Amino acid sequence: MANYRELANAIRALSMDGVQKANSGHPGAPMGMADMAEALWRGFLHHNPKNPNFANRDRFVLSNGHASMLIYSLLHLTGYDLSIDDLKNFRQFGSKTPGHPEHGEVPGVETTTGPLGMGLANAVGMAMAERMLAEEFNKDGFDIVDHYTYVFMGDGCLMEGISHEACSLAGTLGLGKLIALYDSNGISIDGLVKGWFADDTKKRFEGYGWQVIEVANGNDGAQVRAALELAKADTTRPSIIICPTTIGFGSPKKAGTSASHGAPLGDEEIAATKAALGWKYGPFEVPQEIYKEWDATEAGAKLESDWNNLFAQYKAKFPQLADEFERRLSGKLPVDFAPKAKAWVESLQNNPDPKVATRKAGQIALDFFGSLLPELVGGSADLAPSNLTMNKESKEVLPGQLNGNYIHWGVREFAMCAAMNGMVLHGGFRPYGGTFLIFSDYAKNALRMSALMKIPTLYVFTHDSIGVGEDGPTHEPIEQIASLRVLPNFDQWRPCDMVETGAAWTYMIERLDGPSAIILSRQTLEQMPRSTEQVNNISKGAYVLKDCEGTPDVILMATGSEVALAFHAAEKLAEQGKKARVVSMPSTDVFDRQSEEYKESVLPKAVRARVAVEAAMSTTWFKYVGLDGATVCLDHYGASAPAGLLFKKYGFTVENVVETALKVIK
């Protein structure tokens, strides 16, 4: 039987060889964390390599994702669908072993990591999801949701600000099944971190309310195993195990230095390292006795079989709960969702209130959808009364009371969005989180990661323009709408009234292949007249809201609060004998995916006189207005003044839209 160090050395050897063959990558961290990984994966991690999606598996997150050869080696050694040839193909085009772990591309990778600290925040969301699902579905004697979330992280993860946001919340909520192992090697790209990172990590996490466990030597697997036992013994608070390690462990010349961090060791140094470690095998060679010790397929199959038997008993006793649990984990909506949502959206056209802020319309939508979807979990970054993200079904999640569906994230926009990604990845929930649109900038990388992973996280951004008014330019978003539009695979909706808000929420919930954001107003907006056909066309991202006889002289396009402006400008143009078509474009992203025939029916190429109206930057509108068109937009910052005055000062008036339209009509 191989000893623990030999088993860890298999990770070191594969990591060195993979990076060397690619001539690119980070060998030092996998070599330093190999003993930590061996202790966790062979002694504690509950998983089934033959079914990476086993419902009750433990979640493992490699937050310091540059150490990707660590997780690829682990997946290969334990029996996942990741071959030795895949390891040889590290960092190559189309491979299953990209430079950083990618969810959906690599079996067994729970989340895409690489931006430091992001995986840690994802792990917090996963741990929240486990606890909340357990509260909802577990019954006496039937703990069908009972697993841990483990995360590896390094110095860089703890330097990033998101780590503070996420770990502060995890401690507050008492996420006792979250266990973080900190690879404290004291080295980053620039060298010894003590010159720029001298935090007392122990005191920091004690301040958060975590259990802090220190080991003397993180390269001693026995010490790590003992620490993991202590961590699992306390389920009232999250645990961090501080593991001092040597980066590039075993390398005679590069161990303990930044030289092993982000570059291949070189053939000569690899040979010397393997000799020092007593590893007698060639590149990518692992003896069968080592594979046998690592193989987790039999244990994983039994683990899942035992759980399946438990769930079968659960289903016999609680059939409705079991069916709901299976539906929730599958991500499928209730079978009656689509017809109910469609009928409800159509009914909104009869709303008697002529003016409603779309943030209020959003809350009305959440009242409806909250009654249909128990998986819809809301939250806000300390702005619930302003975002209006609480609905009639909301029950607060609080310390020691995680059996709710509304999360007060505190002033933590970045952690909120990253943790919501973790909840989606865990399964069982469709989280949405709110903040002001201007603060989407704080969370931008988490939004990008949800788009990259193609997961259906939901974002609510209110106070969408200079309509914020007296709060001034620090709170008035100008460039944010454009910046979100250019995110690939990220849908953005900016509805103009209650009907468009309801239709947008329906589309967002039904979309399962990527994230969506809804952009809502602070101020009240006028309800637009529509036919049933027009209501149904909202889901196409853009549609003709007001038309004219024959070929239009000009097309007016607008979103959100500016749609009514374009509508009334068209009326004024008609009085002057000019034919104007008004196109409401609540989602340019969705409109761009429509058929060419539909797009032509809304924006005929023959009509080159076009005006886009939006109280935000003009950047993304030129693809629609072309060289002959014009924009009534805002390419500078706002000011502190009443909203009505700002709209007038900056040209968002019927008169200015009419004047602009007349200039482009040939």
Side-chain angles (χ1 to χ4, degrees), residues 17-28:
D17 292 341
V19 171
Q20 187 64 34
K21 188 173 187 301
N23 196 30
S24 174
H26 302 74

Side-chain angles (χ1 to χ4, degrees), residues 248-528:
F249 181 90
S251 172
K253 294 182 179 178
K254 298 185 178 182
T257 73
S258 59
S260 67
H261 175 86
L265 297 183
D267 291 330
E268 182 179 336
E269 186 65 11
I270 289 176
T273 302
K274 289 182 177 180
L277 294 171
W279 188 260
K280 304 181 292 292
Y281 313 102
F284 298 102
E285 182 183 354
V286 178
Q288 287 305 310
E289 58 266 27
I290 297 289
Y291 274 123
K292 184 177 180 180
E293 293 290 330
W294 270 108
D295 187 10
T297 55
E298 184 178 341
K302 184 180 186 306
L303 189 73
E304 182 168 2
S305 177
D306 290 346
W307 183 86
N308 286 339
N309 290 334
L310 177 67
F311 188 73
Q313 297 172 48
Y314 178 88
K315 192 166 188 175
K317 193 167 185 177
F318 309 103
Q320 290 182 321
L321 270 178
D323 288 345
E324 178 67 5
F325 182 76
E326 290 179 313
R327 181 191 71 79
R328 294 265 293 272
L329 285 190
S330 74
K332 295 179 180 177
L333 294 169
V335 292
D336 59 350
F337 176 83
K340 284 184 176 180
K342 184 176 185 294
W344 175 75
V345 171
E346 290 176 357
S347 73
L348 293 175
Q349 193 59 46
N350 301 319
N351 172 48
D353 194 338
K355 285 195 172 185
V356 176
T358 50
R359 62 171 172 161
K360 180 61 180 177
Q363 187 177 49
I364 292 169
L366 289 171
D367 285 341
F368 173 76
F369 290 117
S371 66
L372 290 182
L373 303 171
E375 63 264 41
L376 200 62
V377 171
S380 177
D382 200 50
L383 289 167
S386 295
N387 297 148
L388 301 184
T389 41
M390 295 190 81
N391 63 75
K392 293 176 181 177
E393 303 295 325
S394 292
K395 180 182 178 182
E396 294 172 300
V397 170
L398 297 169
Q401 302 174 42
L402 275 78
N403 58 338
N405 63 0
Y406 191 86
I407 302 163
H408 294 285
W409 294 100
V411 188
R412 302 183 181 99
E413 295 89 352
F414 197 3
M416 173 181 74
C417 295
M420 287 197 303
N421 287 343
M423 296 182 75
V424 173
L425 291 163
H426 179 279
F429 293 107
R430 288 295 302 280
Y432 66 89
T435 187
F436 289 171
L437 176 58
I438 193 73
F439 301 134
S440 66
D441 285 346
Y442 278 142
K444 185 67 173 296
N445 200 253
L447 274 57
R448 182 179 188 272
M449 295 302 288
S450 58
L452 180 64
M453 289 189 280
K454 301 178 182 177
I455 57 174
T457 315
L458 302 168
Y459 303 101
V460 180
F461 298 131
T462 68
H463 295 60
D464 67 341
S465 71
I466 52 173
V468 172
E470 290 86 348
D471 274 342
T474 61
H475 282 55
E476 293 166 0
I478 303 299
E479 72 277 20
Q480 283 69 28
I481 290 175
S483 71
L484 293 179
R485 277 196 186 120
V486 300
L487 273 177
N489 198 45
F490 189 97
D491 282 358
Q492 178 179 233
W493 290 83
R494 187 175 184 240
C496 73
D497 62 8
M498 183 178 290
V499 180
E500 285 193 0
T501 303
W505 261 112
T506 302
Y507 191 98
M508 288 165 59
I509 290 170
E510 291 180 331
R511 185 188 185 207
L512 299 178
D513 62 351
S516 303
I518 191 165
I519 314 296
L520 303 172
S521 73
R522 176 195 186 192
Q523 72 274 23
T524 60
L525 304 182
E526 179 182 348
Q527 178 96 339
M528 293 287 101

Side-chain angles (χ1 to χ4, degrees), residues 141-183:
F142 294 95
D143 289 342
I144 61 169
V145 182
D146 183 14
H147 52 265
Y148 282 78
T149 301
Y150 298 98
V151 55
F152 277 14
M153 59 190 187
D155 295 303
C157 294
L158 292 186
M159 283 188 248
E160 288 286 1
I162 191 174
S163 69
H164 164 67
E165 294 184 25
C167 294
S168 168
L169 181 65
T172 299
L173 294 178
L175 300 178
K177 288 186 176 179
L178 173 64
I179 298 177
L181 290 91
Y182 167 33
D183 174 35

Side-chain angles (χ1 to χ4, degrees), residues 86 443 497 555 631 647:
D86 291 322
D497 62 8
I555 297 175
T631 64
F647 279 116

